[in-house]
């Protein structure tokens, strides 16, 4: 039998998750996070939560790629450098993290168009 959470419980869990990662970083990487291609700073508040969805807020939506490769996944790192949220999907639509381009070259500007994490 599947576990079901009330909306109030989802809101509390997602708010706690957002607060845990606020002021951390989002790292975009190649498959298996073998190479970190770009790093975005999360805002001091981390973003906003509505019921079961955390919408990430960033210090800047566009950053320069730090390496060359194909963006395949992402992780969120706490301000204390803990990789506590991994396996985020990356794409140009329909994924946790949406970028304007997945084929990155070092120094190229890359823009994140959205970032959302939904309660399981």
């Amino acid at each position: 039998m599947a576990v079901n959470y009330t909306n109030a419980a989802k809101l509390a869990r997602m708010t706690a998750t957002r607060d845990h990662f606020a002021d951390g970083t989002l790292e975009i990487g190649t498959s298996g996070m073998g190479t970190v291609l770009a790093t975005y700073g999360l805002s001091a508040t981390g973003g906003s939560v509505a019921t079961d969805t955390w919408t990430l807020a960033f210090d800047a939506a566009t950053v320069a790629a730090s390496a060359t490769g194909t963006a395949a996944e992402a992780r969120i790192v706490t301000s204390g450098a803990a990789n506590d949220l991994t396996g985020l999907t990356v794409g140009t639509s329909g994924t946790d993290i949406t970028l304007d381009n997945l084929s990155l070259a070092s120094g190229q500007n890359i823009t994140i168009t959205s970032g959302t994490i939904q309660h399981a």
Side-chain angles (χ1 to χ4, degrees):
M1 176 184 242
V3 174
N4 297 304
Y5 292 94
T6 65
N7 284 340
K10 290 177 186 179
L11 177 64
R13 290 184 73 183
M14 294 310 291
T15 300
T17 300
R18 178 208 55 202
D19 294 348
H20 178 75
F21 290 104
D23 216 21
T25 57
L26 171 76
E27 296 178 342
I28 306 294
T30 58
S31 181
M33 293 301 294
T35 301
V36 174
L37 301 172
T39 302
Y40 295 85
L42 285 172
S43 72
T45 64
S48 61
V49 176
T51 310
D52 66 346
T53 304
W54 169 26
T55 301
L56 289 80
F58 302 97
D59 295 331
T62 301
V63 299
S66 57
T68 299
T70 301
E73 65 183 88
R75 65 185 174 205
I76 300 179
V77 181
T78 67
S79 60
N83 295 325
D84 286 345
L85 200 159
T86 62
L88 297 172
T89 59
V90 174
T92 55
S93 67
T95 54
D96 299 321
I97 307 300
T98 306
L99 303 174
D100 65 345
N101 180 20
L102 300 181
S103 182
L104 308 180
S106 183
Q108 169 190 346
N109 281 342
I110 183 72
T111 300
I112 192 164
T113 56
S114 72
T116 57
I117 312 297
Q118 191 165 26
H119 190 284

